[in-house]
Amino acid sequence: MVQISALTRLTSHYYNWKLVDIYIDIVSGKTKSSRKEFLRMLEDIKKEEVNIIVTKSVSRFGRDTVDALEALKVIKQASARIIFELENLDSQEDDTDMIISIIESLAQSENEQRSENIRWGLKQRAAQGTSKLYNRKCYGYDHDENGELIINFQQAKIVKKIFNWYLDGKSVIGIVKELEKENIKSPTGKKQMAKKKY
């Protein structure tokens, strides 16, 4: 919202500009965004309903270099322009394509490197047994005095039952119902709830 306010204030500084619309895609870390608003913006540009776009930065505009340059091509073909506030770039300038391509490539490379570093860190912690992802309370395990997971042989029988029910073709809800029938509680000691949505 801060970015929207800042860019809206920026447009108000130009007496001959009129704010037509705001296009914003909310990107989730879990799912890939379809960028509906981005595509709507490009359609509005093609229809000549918009002729100037103001955005915070090149990295926020395109998902990668090709994506950004393709959109820039659509904008230029419609005789529209885009202003990248952070980089102080305006697509009306002749060398903007090259500069955007360089900036976008660097941003893409940086994002890929960051993702690679995160994956490497997770693998290393898993290999060393220090990852908290593998330290959660679950069937068949307890925590020792150091917080490490150790096998609980009594509960391991439950794990075998669950595995066999799964091999028999039972769904998650079906398995929960079987656990309810046998009065087997959850890893945290709560009653099983088949009503829960999975």
Side-chain angles (χ1 to χ4, degrees):
M1 289 302 143
V2 175
Q3 287 175 30
I4 293 170
S5 298
L7 294 173
T8 303
R9 278 197 306 274
L10 178 69
T11 60
S12 68
H13 287 283
Y14 298 88
Y15 75 92
N16 57 340
W17 285 16
K18 179 187 172 187
L19 183 62
V20 175
D21 210 334
I22 293 171
Y23 307 89
I24 180 166
D25 284 303
I26 308 297
V27 181
S28 163
K30 293 178 183 177
T31 58
K32 236 181 177 180
S33 167
S34 60
R35 303 197 81 192
K36 287 180 184 174
E37 287 292 285
F38 183 80
L39 297 173
R40 185 171 73 84
M41 178 192 73
L42 292 178
E43 283 305 309
D44 287 351
I45 289 163
K46 287 176 189 173
K47 289 186 272 185
E48 298 183 2
E49 291 175 9
V50 175
N51 56 17
I52 301 172
I53 302 133
V54 181
T55 188
K56 184 189 172 189
S57 66
V58 175
S59 62
R60 294 293 174 94
F61 182 68
R63 286 178 291 198
D64 53 43
T65 309
V66 175
D67 195 36
L69 292 175
E70 282 292 322
L72 193 63
K73 188 177 173 184
V74 170
I75 292 163
K76 285 199 165 186
Q77 281 173 347
S79 299
R81 66 193 267 220
I82 181 164
I83 297 166
F84 300 96
E85 209 223 343
L86 190 67
E87 293 88 359
N88 196 25
L89 289 172
D90 189 328
S91 64
Q92 279 189 331
E93 296 171 15
D94 293 336
D95 58 352
T96 303
D97 286 22
M98 186 186 72
I99 295 166
I100 289 172
S101 179
I102 292 165
I103 293 169
E104 188 63 59
S105 294
L106 290 170
Q108 189 180 342
S109 174
E110 188 182 324
N111 285 338
E112 286 167 3
Q113 187 62 51
R114 193 181 294 117
S115 296
E116 191 55 44
N117 287 343
I118 290 167
R119 280 196 294 272
W120 183 85
L122 288 170
K123 280 181 187 175
Q124 290 304 306
R125 286 193 289 278
Q128 294 162 8
T130 57
S131 174
K132 295 296 176 190
L133 290 172
Y134 303 95
N135 251 358
R136 297 178 303 198
K137 179 72 177 162
C138 56
Y139 283 130
Y141 293 92
D142 288 321
H143 288 102
D144 65 12
E145 60 277 1
N146 298 317
E148 299 295 319
L149 289 174
I150 53 169
I151 294 172
N152 177 319
F153 291 99
Q154 188 63 34
Q155 288 182 0
K157 293 173 187 173
I158 298 168
V159 175
K160 286 180 183 175
K161 281 187 176 189
I162 292 169
F163 185 72
N164 286 327
W165 285 327
Y166 175 75
L167 290 178
D168 288 341
K170 288 198 182 295
S171 65
V172 173
I173 292 174
I175 290 169
V176 172
K177 283 178 180 173
E178 291 297 332
L179 292 168
E180 275 182 329
K181 275 186 210 169
E182 299 197 16
N183 203 25
I184 296 168
K185 293 184 177 174
S186 75
T188 55
K190 294 177 183 174
K191 272 186 91 173
Q192 299 291 344
M193 289 183 288
K195 297 171 211 146
K196 208 170 186 179
K197 289 181 182 177
Y198 289 90

